[in-house]
Amino acid sequence: MAMLLPWLLPACALGIWALLSLGGLAPSYLLPSPVEVLHTARDYIFAPPGSAPYAGRFVNDLLASLGRVGGGFALAVALGLPLGLLSGRLRFMRLFLDTFVNGVRAVPGIAWLPLALVWFGIGFKTTVFLVSLAAFFPIYLGAAAGAMQVNPLYLRAGAMMGLGRGRLIFTVLVPAAMPHVVTGLRLGLGISFAYLVLGELTGVPDGLGAAIMDARMLGRVDIIIMGILLIAVIGRLCDLAMVGGLKMFKSVRRLG
Amino acid sequence: MSTRAPRKANGACLQVRGLGKSFGVNGRRMSALEDISFEVRSGEVLGILGPSGCGKTTLLNIIAGFLPHDQGQVLMHGQTVTRPGPERGVVFQEDALFPWLTVAENVGFGLRNGDGRAGRRIKVERMLDLVGLEGFGSYLPSAISGGMKQRVALARVLVLQPAALLMDEPFAALDAQTRGDMHSLLISLQRQLQQTVVFVTHDPEEAVKLADRVLVMATAPGRLRQEHRVDLERPRQVDSAAFLEIKRAILDGLGGS
């Protein structure tokens, strides 16, 4: 039962989709059936490139998109994690950063798009900029919340057992903050995919977002739906991979 | 005299001289501790007793190096205390074990790489045996009882062979039965290791049961009011006439102003 539970909701959604499309309640040019989308996906993923529009583009699009997500997310981690930990622990860092960070956070990511296009042009740099900007906030806030709620006795205990500041950070502060840090990282990765698509809507030649946008011009709703499903699947797999990778830390295994 | 083996006639392990500490509260300076002076000899067990709010935890935190002080000096073997260090092991009132580490990893946490992996493991196992936790090394703190957690807390500082063991109401959160067990454990460990101990408590019975000497603090501002020697053999009978007499004298001291 517990094994099936995660699949219950996706199965229901699939059932309703099939009912609407195959039952003739929605015309197929608006809502193609699951079978049609499956065929589309088969061609998109496995057919030899050039045999049909979109055929065999998947690997290329995937790699392009993953590169953009990976680059933007890595940048967001590199900035958000240390700054968040600092602002969670040090009052003057919090005072220094909070107004600015929360002000910038209030601006919707899409508002940065025109500026990013002017600054970085169409393509990799703009997408990475948007992804890292969007992913920064949950990562920063997670790290700050985690660092702030660390039991001060843990830090005292570490210092009392002879740890210097540097080792305290890595052996006490980060592990103790880990549950919030992981939540921030997962939210950040999730939002990275959202902004990936935004960045790829701007006319780049490859990527999952670009495939969706092209398909709209061509009236290929099957491609759009397939793209959405692929992003959902890939996003979930990336989340699983990251959480799995983080399990190498005891604090993630044991406090999760 | 106590039944402990005669210790070396060495000097003071810990010296507190003219210690003063105040806090800013709503713009005013509130004096928390005033002119506190005492010494602790090596191998001695000192109890600091006082009502809540008398500053006894503040005093212990200053000795531990967690808090700065305004006046006076704290010396460990003649060296001024400026920050926390493993020569002053602290057992906290609350559970302060690292929940992401097993019992054995908690106990081995402060051991330096110099001991080598095997050396560290032997030290940890020996210490777990000593506090009665053999076989629990692989447990997580969340899986053991409050009394066992305080045994681990004791083990992780004793394994570092501290010159002084500082304890802030370490057994206050335990039930009476467990507290009694912990008292027995502490008495036997102290005897085996000739451990210098400074502990803070609000419980006169606990103070008389464990300490060679009890300092009684007065409140607002926190200052030392009385000193009581407890020259009773261990384990001490809490209902013996001599015990009750010392306890009554301390209670009288706590009560008056």
Side-chain angles (χ1 to χ4, degrees):
Chain A
M1 185 59 204
M3 291 275 286
L4 295 176
L5 205 53
W7 302 104
L8 188 60
L9 221 44
C12 285
L14 187 68
I16 292 169
W17 175 17
L19 210 67
L20 288 172
S21 55
L22 295 172
L25 292 164
S28 84
Y29 66 90
L30 290 181
L31 186 66
S33 74
V35 183
E36 278 176 77
V37 171
L38 201 65
H39 285 153
T40 305
R42 187 194 57 203
D43 290 347
Y44 178 63
I45 297 171
F46 298 111
S51 61
Y54 292 102
R57 275 183 52 179
F58 173 67
V59 173
N60 192 34
D61 284 345
L62 177 71
L63 293 178
S65 288
L66 285 182
R68 291 169 187 145
V69 166
F73 183 69
L75 207 59
V77 171
L79 285 172
L81 218 49
L83 287 179
L85 290 172
L86 281 172
S87 97
R89 239 19 263 175
L90 302 173
R91 204 178 114 80
F92 78 91
M93 279 303 278
R94 184 153 61 248
L95 291 172
F96 176 64
L97 287 169
D98 250 21
T99 302
F100 182 75
V101 166
N102 284 305
V104 175
R105 189 163 73 96
V107 179
I110 197 164
W112 289 98
L113 183 60
L115 197 57
L117 286 172
V118 173
W119 284 350
F120 303 118
I122 289 167
F124 183 76
K125 280 190 274 185
T126 286
T127 318
V128 166
F129 171 76
L130 291 173
V131 167
S132 60
L133 188 67
F136 171 83
F137 298 106
I139 294 170
Y140 168 88
L141 292 172
M148 206 180 305
Q149 58 79 52
V150 168
N151 185 344
L153 282 187
Y154 294 164
L155 297 169
R156 284 186 170 180
M160 171 270 290
M161 287 187 276
L163 260 62
R165 274 198 159 230
R167 287 188 58 202
L168 263 184
I169 290 173
F170 290 105
T171 56
V172 179
L173 180 64
V174 172
M178 199 53 114
H180 284 82
V181 169
V182 171
T183 303
L185 289 174
R186 293 182 67 184
L187 289 170
L189 187 62
I191 210 161
S192 292
F193 279 93
Y195 281 83
L196 165 77
V197 175
L198 179 68
E200 288 182 345
L201 292 184
T202 56
V204 294
D206 49 13
L208 296 166
I212 293 177
M213 208 55 190
D214 287 355
R216 187 189 69 89
M217 311 274 208
L218 302 169
R220 291 285 302 272
V221 180
D222 56 333
I223 292 281
I224 297 177
I225 293 178
M226 176 205 72
I228 289 171
L229 291 175
L230 280 176
I231 289 170
V233 170
I234 291 160
R236 178 75 180 124
L237 289 177
C238 285
D239 180 56
L240 285 174
M242 183 175 73
V243 172
L246 286 168
K247 289 240 166 88
M248 71 184 195
F249 297 107
K250 285 171 189 158
S251 50
V252 177
R253 288 203 301 276
R254 293 170 179 171
L255 300 181
Chain B
M1 274 306 293
S2 74
T3 59
R4 231 180 304 120
R7 60 180 91 85
K8 294 185 293 272
N10 43 12
C13 166
L14 173 73
Q15 292 165 285
V16 176
R17 289 184 188 155
L19 189 77
K21 169 81 182 169
S22 60
F23 291 104
V25 182
N26 299 331
R28 288 193 309 146
R29 299 304 291 177
M30 297 285 287
S31 183
L33 295 173
E34 228 171 65
D35 194 26
I36 307 255
S37 297
F38 62 89
E39 290 192 358
V40 186
R41 281 172 290 114
S42 286
E44 187 181 22
V45 180
L46 180 77
I48 298 174
L49 178 72
S52 63
C54 72
K56 53 194 192 297
T57 293
T58 303
L59 174 59
L60 201 76
N61 281 338
I62 291 172
I63 297 172
F66 297 143
L67 284 179
H69 55 277
D70 306 325
Q71 284 136 34
Q73 277 185 304
V74 179
L75 301 169
M76 259 322 271
H77 291 305
Q79 301 271 318
T80 302
V81 164
T82 54
R83 54 196 196 89
E87 77 285 357
R88 279 160 290 127
V90 182
V91 175
F92 301 93
Q93 175 175 2
E94 297 163 56
D95 163 32
L97 301 178
F98 302 133
W100 61 91
L101 298 180
T102 63
V103 164
E105 287 164 345
N106 267 287
V107 175
F109 183 85
L111 291 174
R112 291 307 169 128
N113 294 329
D115 295 311
R117 187 182 275 268
R120 285 201 298 274
R121 209 181 56 226
I122 290 168
K123 281 190 177 180
V124 167
E125 281 182 6
R126 194 181 298 149
M127 192 47 70
L128 285 176
D129 286 356
L130 212 53
V131 298
L133 285 178
E134 54 273 40
F136 286 95
S138 61
Y139 283 57
L140 286 175
S142 55
I144 61 176
S145 70
M148 290 162 89
K149 284 180 192 170
Q150 287 308 68
R151 284 170 194 254
V152 180
L154 206 51
R156 76 170 172 183
V157 293
L158 289 180
V159 78
L160 303 176
Q161 300 177 300
L165 172 63
L166 310 177
M167 300 198 292
D168 180 12
E169 306 230 19
F171 314 129
L174 304 176
D175 63 84
Q177 167 75 44
T178 311
R179 192 179 320 133
D181 293 347
M182 290 301 290
H183 288 161
S184 309
L185 174 70
L186 184 70
I187 289 165
S188 103
L189 284 175
Q190 195 276 333
R191 187 178 307 192
Q192 286 177 63
L193 305 169
Q194 286 294 294
Q195 180 67 54
T196 310
V197 180
V198 177
F199 71 96
V200 155
T201 182
H202 65 269
D203 177 5
E205 183 167 300
E206 184 171 76
V208 180
K209 196 170 163 192
L210 298 176
D212 296 319
R213 196 152 54 96
V214 180
L215 300 180
V216 180
M217 287 184 71
T219 187
R223 58 200 187 280
L224 294 184
R225 176 189 282 166
Q226 289 177 341
E227 180 179 327
H228 297 267
R229 304 206 139 271
V230 188
D231 286 334
L232 301 175
E233 288 197 13
R234 292 185 175 90
R236 292 166 178 166
Q237 300 303 315
V238 296
D239 49 4
S240 75
F243 190 99
L244 291 172
E245 191 183 329
I246 296 172
K247 189 172 144 189
R248 183 161 307 118
I250 287 174
L251 281 170
D252 288 346
L254 274 173
S257 67

